[in-house]
Amino acid sequence: MSLAELLGGDVVDVAPRLLGLRLEANGAAGRVVEVEAYGGDDDPASHAVGGPRVRNRSMFGAAGTLYVYRSYGIHWCANVVTGRIGEGQAVLIRALEPLEGLERMRSRRPAARRAEELCDGPGKLCAALAIDGTADGSSVIDGSGPVRLLDDGTSPPAAVCVGRRVGIRRAAERPWRWAVPDSPFVSRPRLSGP
DNA sequence: CGTTTGATGCTCT
DNA sequence: GAGCATCAAACGG
């Protein structure tokens, strides 16, 4: 199954299957170890609530579109759109295991003291990979944009941890956060168990 | 270790 | 004017 086909599915099914994929941007790369689903099943926590607007319009684009938004006025967060055009679904990439361009990441993230801290959060990984609002709306699957999502042949994680999404108030009980078990590169609070 | 708090910009009320 | 899909520095134990 191609990546484009996979991303066309429902966000809650797709999100955990993005674990293990490779994300590249601006001379650095990492393995996806933590994700969250937004916009599935009338999700009240999603930015897609209320339909397309100026900020969230790329969330309603085709599967594989990148949705980048500013968080708390300071950070950037990156999502990969799933489902059908107009549905408003996306997977928030929350953490990466750094693979390449470690020195570049370190210079972009001076506060990180250890490799485990370079990409262990949605704002942190965007800083480490230099992903900002200029990448919003580009494709991560057709090679035309600065950010690329690839299956590099690494076998997917044998198991996956599930838990509640981070930092939201509405629909906080939905178990729509997934992570690679025991990965030291996952953000806090850590997930454990199935 | 843990918890708390200020920064900062944009959208919506 | 409130509320964020966050982060890091500044504390206290």
Side-chain angles (χ1 to χ4, degrees), chain A residues 5-102:
Chain A
E5 283 178 293
L6 170 64
L7 292 174
D10 188 85
V11 67
V12 177
D13 300 321
V14 174
R17 300 182 62 179
L18 300 189
L19 296 175
L21 297 182
R22 175 187 173 96
L23 192 72
E24 298 178 346
N26 304 306
R31 175 174 172 258
V32 179
V33 295
E34 182 187 350
V35 296
E36 284 178 358
Y38 283 93
D41 192 28
D42 291 316
D43 180 11
S46 168
H47 290 173
V49 167
R53 303 180 163 213
V54 176
R55 171 173 85 150
N56 65 6
R57 57 179 228 97
S58 54
M59 209 176 158
F60 292 84
T65 300
L66 192 66
Y67 166 49
V68 182
Y69 69 92
R70 206 190 268 284
S71 175
Y72 290 89
I74 305 169
H75 313 287
W76 297 101
C77 292
N79 303 250
V80 176
V81 174
T82 70
R84 299 180 178 189
I85 289 179
E87 261 188 310
Q89 301 186 341
V91 178
L92 172 66
I93 310 298
R94 285 198 58 88
L96 301 176
E97 173 184 345
L99 294 175
E100 288 172 29
L102 278 280

Side-chain angles (χ1 to χ4, degrees), chain A residues 76-135:
Chain A
W76 297 101
C77 292
N79 303 250
V80 176
V81 174
T82 70
R84 299 180 178 189
I85 289 179
E87 261 188 310
Q89 301 186 341
V91 178
L92 172 66
I93 310 298
R94 285 198 58 88
L96 301 176
E97 173 184 345
L99 294 175
E100 288 172 29
L102 278 280
E103 281 314 305
R104 240 182 289 245
M105 292 186 188
R106 279 188 239 274
S107 67
R108 292 163 177 164
R109 295 241 332 107
R113 318 187 105 239
R114 304 175 294 127
E116 288 82 359
E117 299 169 356
L118 285 171
C119 300
D120 63 339
K124 298 177 186 178
L125 72 90
C126 280
L129 299 198
I131 297 171
D132 62 17
T134 63

